[in-house]
Coordinates of all heavy atoms in Angstrom, one line a residue:
A1 N 0.8 -1.2 0.0 CA 0.0 0.0 0.0 C 0.9 1.3 0.0 O 2.0 1.2 0.5 CB -0.9 0.0 1.3
L2 N 0.3 2.3 -0.6 CA 1.1 3.6 -0.6 C 0.6 4.4 0.6 O -0.4 4.1 1.3 CB 0.8 4.4 -1.9 CG 1.1 3.6 -3.2 CD1 1.0 4.5 -4.3 CD2 2.5 3.0 -3.1
M3 N 1.4 5.5 0.9 CA 0.9 6.4 2.0 C 1.2 7.9 1.5 O 1.9 8.2 0.6 CB 1.8 6.2 3.2 CG 3.2 6.5 3.1 SD 4.1 6.5 4.6 CE 3.6 8.0 5.4
I4 N 0.5 8.8 2.2 CA 0.6 10.2 1.8 C 1.4 10.9 2.9 O 1.0 10.7 4.1 CB -0.8 10.9 1.6 CG1 -1.5 10.3 0.4 CG2 -0.7 12.4 1.4 CD1 -2.9 10.7 0.2
T5 N 2.4 11.6 2.5 CA 3.3 12.2 3.5 C 2.8 13.6 3.9 O 1.9 14.1 3.2 CB 4.7 12.4 3.0 OG1 4.9 13.5 2.0 CG2 5.3 11.1 2.4
D6 N 3.4 14.3 4.9 CA 2.9 15.5 5.3 C 3.3 16.7 4.3 O 3.1 17.8 4.6 CB 3.4 15.8 6.7 CG 4.8 15.8 6.9 OD1 5.6 15.8 5.9 OD2 5.3 15.9 8.0
E7 N 3.8 16.2 3.2 CA 4.1 17.3 2.1 C 2.8 17.5 1.3 O 2.8 18.4 0.5 CB 5.2 16.8 1.2 CG 6.6 16.9 1.8 CD 7.6 16.0 1.0 OE1 8.2 16.6 0.1 OE2 7.8 14.9 1.4
C8 N 1.9 16.7 1.6 CA 0.5 16.9 0.9 C 0.0 18.3 1.1 O 0.0 18.9 2.2 CB -0.5 16.0 1.5 SG -2.2 16.1 0.9
I9 N -0.4 18.9 -0.1 CA -0.9 20.3 -0.1 C -2.5 20.3 -0.2 O -3.0 21.3 -0.5 CB -0.3 21.1 -1.2 CG1 -0.6 20.4 -2.6 CG2 1.2 21.4 -1.0 CD1 -0.2 21.4 -3.8
N10 N -3.2 19.2 0.1 CA -4.6 19.1 0.1 C -5.1 19.7 -1.3 O -6.2 20.4 -1.2 CB -5.2 19.8 1.3 CG -4.8 19.1 2.5 OD1 -4.6 17.9 2.6 ND2 -4.8 19.9 3.7
C11 N -4.6 19.3 -2.4 CA -5.1 19.8 -3.6 C -6.3 19.1 -4.1 O -7.0 19.5 -5.0 CB -4.0 19.7 -4.7 SG -3.8 18.1 -5.3
D12 N -6.7 18.0 -3.5 CA -8.0 17.2 -3.7 C -8.0 16.4 -5.1 O -9.0 15.8 -5.3 CB -9.2 18.3 -3.8 CG -9.3 19.2 -2.6 OD1 -8.9 18.7 -1.5 OD2 -9.8 20.2 -2.8
V13 N -7.0 16.4 -5.9 CA -7.1 15.8 -7.2 C -7.0 14.2 -7.1 O -7.5 13.5 -8.0 CB -6.1 16.3 -8.2 CG1 -6.4 17.8 -8.4 CG2 -4.7 16.0 -7.8
C14 N -6.3 13.7 -6.1 CA -6.1 12.2 -6.0 C -7.3 11.4 -5.6 O -7.6 10.4 -6.1 CB -4.9 11.9 -5.2 SG -5.1 12.4 -3.4
E15 N -8.1 12.0 -4.6 CA -9.2 11.4 -4.0 C -10.2 10.7 -5.0 O -10.5 9.5 -5.0 CB -9.8 12.2 -3.0 CG -10.8 11.5 -2.0 CD -12.2 11.6 -2.5 OE1 -12.5 12.8 -3.0 OE2 -13.0 10.7 -2.2
P16 N -10.7 11.5 -6.0 CA -11.5 10.9 -7.0 C -11.0 10.0 -8.0 O -11.7 9.2 -8.6 CB -12.2 12.1 -7.6 CG -11.1 13.3 -7.5 CD -10.4 12.9 -6.2
E17 N -9.6 9.9 -8.1 CA -9.0 9.0 -9.0 C -8.8 7.6 -8.5 O -8.5 6.7 -9.3 CB -7.5 9.6 -9.4 CG -7.5 11.0 -10.0 CD -8.2 10.8 -11.4 OE1 -8.1 9.9 -12.1 OE2 -9.0 11.9 -11.7
C18 N -8.9 7.4 -7.2 CA -8.7 6.1 -6.6 C -9.8 5.1 -6.9 O -10.9 5.3 -6.6 CB -8.5 6.2 -5.2 SG -8.1 4.6 -4.4
P19 N -9.4 4.0 -7.6 CA -10.5 3.0 -8.0 C -11.0 2.2 -6.8 O -12.0 1.5 -7.0 CB -9.8 2.1 -9.0 CG -8.3 2.2 -8.6 CD -8.1 3.6 -8.1
N20 N -10.3 2.3 -5.7 CA -10.7 1.5 -4.5 C -11.2 2.4 -3.4 O -11.4 1.8 -2.2 CB -9.4 0.7 -4.0 CG -9.0 -0.3 -5.0 OD1 -9.7 -1.0 -5.6 ND2 -7.6 -0.4 -5.1
D21 N -11.4 3.7 -3.6 CA -11.9 4.6 -2.6 C -11.0 4.5 -1.3 O -11.6 4.5 -0.2 CB -13.4 4.3 -2.2 CG -14.4 4.6 -3.4 OD1 -14.1 5.7 -4.1 OD2 -15.3 4.0 -3.6
A22 N -9.8 4.4 -1.6 CA -8.8 4.2 -0.5 C -8.3 5.5 0.1 O -7.8 5.6 1.2 CB -7.6 3.3 -0.8
I23 N -8.6 6.6 -0.5 CA -8.1 8.0 -0.2 C -9.2 8.7 0.5 O -10.4 8.8 -0.1 CB -7.6 8.7 -1.4 CG1 -6.4 7.9 -2.1 CG2 -7.0 10.0 -1.0 CD1 -5.9 8.5 -3.4
Y24 N -8.9 9.3 1.6 CA -9.9 10.2 2.4 C -9.2 11.3 3.0 O -8.0 11.4 3.2 CB -10.7 9.4 3.4 CG -9.8 8.9 4.5 CD1 -9.7 9.6 5.7 CD2 -9.0 7.7 4.4 CE1 -8.9 9.2 6.7 CE2 -8.2 7.3 5.3 CZ -8.1 8.0 6.5 OH -7.2 7.6 7.6
M25 N -10.0 12.4 3.2 CA -9.5 13.6 3.9 C -9.4 13.3 5.4 O -10.4 13.0 6.0 CB -10.4 14.8 3.7 CG -9.9 16.1 4.2 SD -8.5 16.7 3.5 CE -7.7 17.6 4.8
G26 N -8.1 13.3 5.9 CA -7.8 13.0 7.3 C -8.0 14.3 8.1 O -8.6 15.3 7.7
E27 N -7.4 14.3 9.3 CA -7.5 15.5 10.1 C -6.9 16.7 9.5 O -7.4 17.8 9.6 CB -7.0 15.2 11.6 CG -7.3 16.1 12.6 CD -6.9 15.8 14.0 OE1 -6.4 14.6 14.1 OE2 -7.0 16.6 14.9
F28 N -5.7 16.5 9.0 CA -4.9 17.6 8.5 C -4.7 17.5 6.9 O -4.6 18.5 6.2 CB -3.6 17.7 9.2 CG -3.7 17.8 10.6 CD1 -3.3 16.9 11.5 CD2 -4.2 19.1 11.2 CE1 -3.5 17.0 12.9 CE2 -4.3 19.2 12.5 CZ -3.9 18.2 13.4
I29 N -4.4 16.3 6.4 CA -4.1 16.1 5.1 C -4.9 14.9 4.6 O -5.5 14.1 5.4 CB -2.6 15.8 4.9 CG1 -2.1 14.6 5.8 CG2 -1.8 17.1 5.1 CD1 -0.6 14.2 5.5
Y30 N -4.7 14.6 3.3 CA -5.3 13.4 2.8 C -4.6 12.1 3.3 O -3.4 12.1 3.5 CB -5.3 13.4 1.3 CG -6.5 14.2 0.7 CD1 -6.5 15.5 0.6 CD2 -7.8 13.5 0.5 CE1 -7.5 16.3 0.1 CE2 -8.9 14.2 0.0 CZ -8.8 15.6 -0.2 OH -9.9 16.3 -0.7
E31 N -5.3 11.0 3.4 CA -4.8 9.8 4.0 C -5.2 8.7 3.1 O -6.2 8.7 2.4 CB -5.1 9.6 5.4 CG -4.5 10.7 6.3 CD -4.8 10.5 7.8 OE1 -5.0 9.3 8.3 OE2 -5.0 11.5 8.5
I32 N -4.4 7.5 3.1 CA -4.8 6.3 2.4 C -5.1 5.1 3.4 O -4.3 4.9 4.4 CB -3.6 5.9 1.5 CG1 -3.4 6.9 0.4 CG2 -3.9 4.5 0.9 CD1 -2.3 6.8 -0.5
T33 N -6.2 4.5 3.3 CA -6.4 3.2 4.1 C -5.6 2.2 3.5 O -5.9 1.6 2.3 CB -7.9 2.9 4.1 OG1 -8.7 4.1 4.4 CG2 -8.3 1.8 5.0
P34 N -4.6 1.6 4.2 CA -3.7 0.5 3.6 C -4.4 -0.6 3.1 O -4.1 -1.4 2.1 CB -2.7 0.2 4.8 CG -2.7 1.5 5.6 CD -4.2 2.0 5.5
S35 N -5.5 -1.1 4.0 CA -6.2 -2.3 3.6 C -7.0 -2.2 2.2 O -7.4 -3.2 1.7 CB -7.2 -2.6 4.7 OG -8.2 -1.7 4.9
K36 N -7.2 -1.0 1.8 CA -7.9 -0.7 0.5 C -7.1 -0.4 -0.6 O -7.5 -0.3 -1.7 CB -9.0 0.3 0.8 CG -10.1 -0.1 1.7 CD -11.0 1.0 2.1 CE -12.2 1.2 1.1 NZ -13.1 2.3 1.6
C37 N -5.8 0.0 -0.4 CA -4.9 0.4 -1.5 C -4.2 -0.8 -2.1 O -3.4 -1.5 -1.5 CB -3.9 1.4 -1.0 SG -2.6 1.8 -2.1
T38 N -4.4 -1.1 -3.3 CA -3.8 -2.3 -4.0 C -2.6 -1.7 -4.9 O -2.2 -2.4 -5.8 CB -4.8 -2.9 -5.0 OG1 -5.2 -2.0 -6.0 CG2 -6.0 -3.5 -4.2
E39 N -2.3 -0.4 -4.6 CA -1.3 0.3 -5.5 C -1.8 0.2 -7.0 O -1.0 0.3 -7.9 CB 0.1 -0.3 -5.4 CG 0.6 -0.2 -3.9 CD 2.0 -0.7 -3.7 OE1 2.8 -1.0 -4.6 OE2 2.3 -1.1 -2.5
C40 N -3.1 0.3 -7.1 CA -3.8 0.1 -8.4 C -3.7 -1.2 -9.1 O -4.3 -1.3 -10.3 CB -3.5 1.4 -9.3 SG -4.3 2.9 -8.7
V41 N -3.0 -2.2 -8.5 CA -3.0 -3.5 -9.2 C -4.4 -4.0 -9.4 O -5.3 -3.9 -8.4 CB -2.2 -4.5 -8.3 CG1 -2.3 -5.9 -8.9 CG2 -0.7 -4.0 -8.3
G42 N -4.7 -4.5 -10.5 CA -6.0 -5.0 -10.8 C -6.8 -4.0 -11.6 O -7.9 -4.3 -12.3
H43 N -6.5 -2.7 -11.5 CA -7.2 -1.6 -12.2 C -6.4 -0.9 -13.2 O -6.9 -0.7 -14.3 CB -7.6 -0.6 -11.2 CG -8.7 -1.1 -10.3 ND1 -10.1 -1.2 -10.5 CD2 -8.6 -1.5 -8.9 CE1 -10.7 -1.7 -9.5 NE2 -9.9 -1.8 -8.5
F44 N -5.2 -0.6 -12.9 CA -4.3 0.2 -13.8 C -2.9 -0.2 -13.7 O -2.5 -0.9 -12.7 CB -4.4 1.7 -13.4 CG -5.7 2.4 -13.4 CD1 -6.5 2.5 -12.3 CD2 -6.3 2.7 -14.6 CE1 -7.8 3.1 -12.3 CE2 -7.6 3.4 -14.8 CZ -8.3 3.5 -13.6
D45 N -2.1 0.1 -14.7 CA -0.7 -0.2 -14.7 C 0.1 0.6 -13.7 O 1.2 0.1 -13.3 CB -0.1 0.0 -16.2 CG -0.6 -1.0 -17.1 OD1 -1.1 -2.1 -16.7 OD2 -0.6 -0.8 -18.3
E46 N -0.3 1.8 -13.6 CA 0.4 2.7 -12.6 C -0.5 3.2 -11.5 O -1.7 3.4 -11.8 CB 1.0 3.9 -13.4 CG 1.9 3.6 -14.5 CD 3.2 3.1 -14.0 OE1 3.6 3.5 -12.8 OE2 4.0 2.4 -14.7
P47 N 0.1 3.5 -10.3 CA -0.8 4.0 -9.3 C -1.3 5.5 -9.7 O -0.6 6.3 -10.1 CB 0.2 4.2 -8.1 CG 1.3 3.2 -8.4 CD 1.4 3.1 -9.9
Q48 N -2.6 5.5 -9.7 CA -3.2 6.8 -10.3 C -3.0 8.0 -9.4 O -2.8 9.1 -9.9 CB -4.7 6.5 -10.4 CG -5.1 5.4 -11.4 CD -4.6 5.7 -12.8 OE1 -5.2 6.5 -13.5 NE2 -3.6 4.9 -13.2
C49 N -2.9 7.8 -8.1 CA -2.7 9.0 -7.3 C -1.2 9.5 -7.4 O -1.1 10.7 -7.5 CB -3.0 8.5 -5.8 SG -2.0 7.1 -5.2
V50 N -0.3 8.5 -7.6 CA 1.1 9.0 -7.8 C 1.2 9.7 -9.2 O 1.8 10.7 -9.3 CB 2.0 7.8 -7.9 CG1 3.5 8.1 -8.2 CG2 2.0 7.1 -6.4
Q51 N 0.5 9.2 -10.2 CA 0.5 9.8 -11.5 C 0.1 11.4 -11.5 O 0.5 12.1 -12.1 CB -0.4 9.1 -12.4 CG 0.0 7.6 -12.7 CD 1.1 7.6 -13.8 OE1 1.0 8.1 -14.9 NE2 2.2 7.1 -13.3
I52 N -1.0 11.5 -10.6 CA -1.6 12.9 -10.7 C -1.1 13.9 -9.6 O -1.3 15.1 -9.7 CB -3.2 12.7 -10.6 CG1 -3.9 13.9 -11.2 CG2 -3.5 12.4 -9.1 CD1 -5.3 13.5 -11.5
C53 N -0.5 13.3 -8.6 CA 0.0 14.2 -7.4 C 1.0 15.2 -7.9 O 2.0 14.9 -8.4 CB 0.5 13.4 -6.3 SG 1.0 14.4 -4.8
P54 N 0.7 16.5 -7.7 CA 1.6 17.5 -8.1 C 2.9 17.7 -7.4 O 3.8 18.4 -7.8 CB 0.8 18.8 -8.1 CG -0.2 18.6 -7.1 CD -0.5 17.1 -7.1
V55 N 2.8 17.2 -6.1 CA 4.0 17.3 -5.3 C 4.8 16.1 -4.9 O 5.6 16.0 -4.1 CB 3.7 18.1 -3.9 CG1 3.1 19.6 -4.3 CG2 2.6 17.4 -3.1
A56 N 4.4 15.0 -5.5 CA 5.1 13.7 -5.4 C 5.2 13.3 -4.0 O 6.3 13.1 -3.5 CB 6.4 13.7 -6.2
C57 N 4.1 13.2 -3.2 CA 4.2 12.9 -1.9 C 3.6 11.6 -1.5 O 3.1 11.4 -0.4 CB 3.6 14.1 -1.0 SG 1.8 14.3 -1.2
I58 N 3.5 10.7 -2.4 CA 2.9 9.4 -2.1 C 3.8 8.2 -2.4 O 3.8 7.5 -3.4 CB 1.6 9.2 -3.0 CG1 0.8 10.5 -3.1 CG2 0.7 8.1 -2.5 CD1 -0.4 10.4 -3.9
P59 N 4.7 7.9 -1.4 CA 5.6 6.8 -1.5 C 4.9 5.4 -1.1 O 3.8 5.4 -0.6 CB 6.8 7.1 -0.6 CG 6.0 7.9 0.6 CD 4.9 8.6 -0.1
V60 N 5.7 4.3 -1.2 CA 5.2 3.0 -0.6 C 5.2 3.2 0.9 O 6.2 3.7 1.5 CB 6.1 1.9 -1.0 CG1 5.7 0.6 -0.3 CG2 5.9 1.7 -2.6
H61 N 4.2 2.7 1.5 CA 4.2 2.8 3.1 C 5.2 1.7 3.6 O 5.1 0.6 3.3 CB 2.7 2.4 3.5 CG 2.4 2.7 5.0 ND1 3.3 2.3 6.0 CD2 1.4 3.4 5.5 CE1 2.8 2.8 7.1 NE2 1.6 3.4 6.9
P62 N 6.1 2.2 4.4 CA 7.1 1.3 4.9 C 6.7 0.2 5.7 O 7.3 -0.9 5.7 CB 8.1 2.2 5.7 CG 7.3 3.4 6.0 CD 6.3 3.6 4.9
E63 N 5.5 0.3 6.3 CA 5.0 -0.9 7.0 C 4.0 -1.8 6.3 O 3.4 -2.7 6.7 CB 4.3 -0.3 8.3 CG 5.3 0.2 9.4 CD 4.6 1.1 10.4 OE1 3.3 0.9 10.6 OE2 5.2 2.0 10.9
H64 N 3.8 -1.4 5.0 CA 2.9 -2.1 4.2 C 3.5 -2.4 2.8 O 2.9 -2.1 1.7 CB 1.5 -1.4 4.1 CG 0.8 -1.2 5.3 ND1 0.0 -2.2 5.8 CD2 0.7 -0.2 6.2 CE1 -0.5 -1.8 6.9 NE2 0.0 -0.6 7.2
V65 N 4.8 -2.9 2.8 CA 5.4 -3.3 1.5 C 4.8 -4.6 1.1 O 4.9 -5.6 1.8 CB 6.9 -3.4 1.7 CG1 7.6 -3.8 0.5 CG2 7.5 -2.0 2.2
E66 N 4.2 -4.6 -0.1 CA 3.5 -5.9 -0.5 C 3.9 -6.2 -2.0 O 4.2 -5.4 -2.8 CB 2.0 -5.6 -0.5 CG 1.4 -5.4 0.9 CD 0.2 -4.5 0.8 OE1 0.2 -3.3 0.5 OE2 -1.0 -5.0 1.2
S67 N 4.0 -7.5 -2.2 CA 4.4 -8.0 -3.5 C 3.1 -7.8 -4.5 O 2.0 -7.6 -3.9 CB 4.7 -9.5 -3.5 OG 3.5 -10.3 -3.2
R68 N 3.4 -7.9 -5.8 CA 2.4 -7.7 -6.8 C 1.3 -8.9 -6.5 O 0.1 -8.6 -6.6 CB 2.9 -7.8 -8.1 CG 1.9 -7.5 -9.2 CD 2.5 -7.6 -10.6 NE 1.3 -7.4 -11.6 CZ 0.8 -6.2 -11.8 NH1 1.3 -5.1 -11.5 NH2 -0.3 -6.3 -12.7
E69 N 1.8 -10.0 -6.2 CA 0.8 -11.2 -5.9 C -0.1 -10.9 -4.8 O -1.3 -11.1 -4.7 CB 1.7 -12.4 -5.6 CG 0.8 -13.7 -5.4 CD 0.0 -14.0 -6.6 OE1 0.3 -13.6 -7.7 OE2 -1.1 -14.7 -6.4
T70 N 0.5 -10.3 -3.7 CA -0.3 -10.0 -2.4 C -1.3 -8.9 -2.8 O -2.4 -8.9 -2.4 CB 0.6 -9.5 -1.3 OG1 1.5 -10.4 -1.0 CG2 -0.1 -9.1 -0.1
L71 N -0.9 -7.9 -3.6 CA -1.7 -6.8 -4.0 C -2.9 -7.3 -4.9 O -4.0 -6.8 -4.7 CB -0.9 -5.7 -4.7 CG 0.0 -4.9 -3.9 CD1 1.1 -4.2 -4.8 CD2 -0.6 -4.0 -2.9
L72 N -2.6 -8.3 -5.7 CA -3.6 -8.8 -6.6 C -4.6 -9.6 -5.7 O -5.9 -9.5 -6.0 CB -3.0 -9.8 -7.6 CG -3.8 -10.1 -8.9 CD1 -4.2 -8.9 -9.6 CD2 -2.9 -11.0 -9.8
Q73 N -4.2 -10.3 -4.7 CA -5.0 -11.0 -3.8 C -5.9 -10.0 -3.1 O -7.1 -10.3 -2.8 CB -4.2 -11.8 -2.8 CG -3.8 -13.1 -3.3 CD -2.7 -13.8 -2.6 OE1 -2.5 -13.3 -1.4 NE2 -2.2 -14.8 -3.0
K74 N -5.4 -8.9 -2.7 CA -6.3 -7.8 -2.0 C -7.3 -7.3 -3.0 O -8.4 -7.2 -2.5 CB -5.3 -6.7 -1.5 CG -5.9 -5.7 -0.7 CD -5.1 -4.4 -0.4 CE -3.9 -4.7 0.4 NZ -3.2 -3.4 0.8
F75 N -6.8 -7.1 -4.3 CA -7.8 -6.7 -5.3 C -9.0 -7.6 -5.4 O -10.2 -7.3 -5.4 CB -7.1 -6.5 -6.6 CG -8.0 -6.4 -7.8 CD1 -8.7 -5.3 -8.1 CD2 -8.1 -7.5 -8.6 CE1 -9.5 -5.2 -9.1 CE2 -8.9 -7.4 -9.8 CZ -9.6 -6.3 -10.0
M76 N -8.7 -9.0 -5.4 CA -9.6 -9.9 -5.5 C -10.7 -9.9 -4.3 O -11.8 -10.1 -4.4 CB -9.1 -11.3 -5.7 CG -8.2 -11.6 -6.9 SD -9.1 -11.3 -8.4 CE -9.7 -12.9 -8.7
R77 N -10.1 -9.8 -3.1 CA -10.8 -9.7 -1.9 C -11.8 -8.5 -1.9 O -12.9 -8.6 -1.6 CB -9.9 -9.6 -0.6 CG -9.7 -10.8 0.1 CD -9.1 -10.6 1.5 NE -8.2 -9.5 1.7 CZ -6.9 -9.6 1.5 NH1 -6.3 -10.7 1.1 NH2 -6.2 -8.6 1.7
L78 N -11.2 -7.4 -2.3 CA -12.1 -6.1 -2.3 C -13.1 -6.3 -3.3 O -14.3 -5.8 -3.1 CB -11.1 -4.9 -2.7 CG -10.2 -4.4 -1.6 CD1 -9.2 -3.5 -2.2 CD2 -10.9 -3.9 -0.4
K79 N -12.9 -6.9 -4.5 CA -13.9 -7.1 -5.5 C -15.0 -7.9 -5.1 O -16.2 -7.7 -5.3 CB -13.2 -7.7 -6.7 CG -14.0 -7.4 -8.1 CD -13.2 -7.7 -9.3 CE -12.9 -9.2 -9.3 NZ -12.7 -9.7 -10.7
S80 N -14.7 -9.0 -4.3 CA -15.7 -9.9 -3.9 C -16.5 -9.4 -2.7 O -17.6 -9.9 -2.4 CB -15.1 -11.3 -3.7 OG -14.2 -11.2 -2.6
S81 N -16.0 -8.4 -2.1 CA -16.7 -7.9 -0.9 C -17.6 -6.7 -1.3 O -18.3 -6.1 -0.4 CB -15.7 -7.4 0.2 OG -15.1 -6.3 -0.2
T82 N -17.7 -6.3 -2.6 CA -18.6 -5.2 -2.9 C -19.7 -5.7 -3.8 O -19.7 -6.9 -4.2 CB -17.8 -4.2 -3.8 OG1 -17.2 -4.8 -4.8 CG2 -16.9 -3.3 -2.9
Ligands
SF4_101 FE1 -5.9 4.4 -4.6 FE2 -4.2 3.3 -6.4 FE3 -3.4 5.4 -5.0 FE4 -3.6 3.1 -3.8 S1 -2.3 3.6 -5.5 S2 -4.5 5.0 -3.0 S3 -5.5 2.1 -4.9 S4 -5.1 5.4 -6.5
SF4_102 FE1 -2.2 15.6 -1.4 FE2 -0.9 14.8 -3.6 FE3 -3.4 14.0 -3.1 FE4 -3.0 16.5 -3.8 S1 -2.7 14.8 -5.1 S2 -4.3 15.9 -2.2 S3 -1.0 16.8 -2.8 S4 -1.6 13.5 -2.0

């Protein structure tokens, strides 16, 4: 899963781009729910939020480093739960 750092300028453009609704406005900045972020695996070739973020503040979450296989399994789980 990816995470949003405190360099976020709350520009609002990433939230509607997320295919998993993993991005939400937190207390101060936008945040990503790790359990819902597949790094866009299953939907797109590239993470959509990273593509669109003007300040490049969305790295991989150091506590949620996942393989493509794990991300694909998360995608399948999310798909079957909706
Ligand atoms: Fe959403 Fe994709 Fe960004 Fe994860 S990488 S938060 S799934 S847009
Ligand atoms: Fe923050 Fe980047 Fe999302 Fe804009 S696109 S709200 S700067 S994380």
Side-chain angles (χ1 to χ4, degrees):
L2 305 188
M3 66 171 288
I4 295 173
T5 72
D6 59 13
E7 288 163 87
C8 172
I9 56 171
N10 294 333
C11 74
D12 307 329
V13 299
C14 59
E15 193 258 328
E17 297 297 324
C18 179
N20 294 318
D21 291 328
I23 303 174
Y24 64 97
M25 184 65 207
E27 194 176 351
F28 301 110
I29 54 172
Y30 276 85
E31 298 182 29
I32 293 173
T33 304
S35 61
K36 292 172 89 176
C37 174
T38 64
E39 300 180 21
C40 283
V41 168
H43 292 281
F44 299 101
D45 290 338
E46 300 288 336
Q48 299 299 289
C49 55
V50 173
Q51 295 281 300
I52 205 164
C53 180
V55 295
C57 67
I58 316 181
V60 172
H61 196 308
E63 286 162 27
H64 297 278
V65 177
E66 296 153 293
S67 69
R68 191 180 169 82
E69 183 60 28
T70 302
L71 292 166
L72 198 55
Q73 283 166 5
K74 191 191 292 187
F75 164 74
M76 300 300 276
R77 256 198 327 274
L78 288 169
K79 201 167 66 152
S80 61
S81 68
T82 51

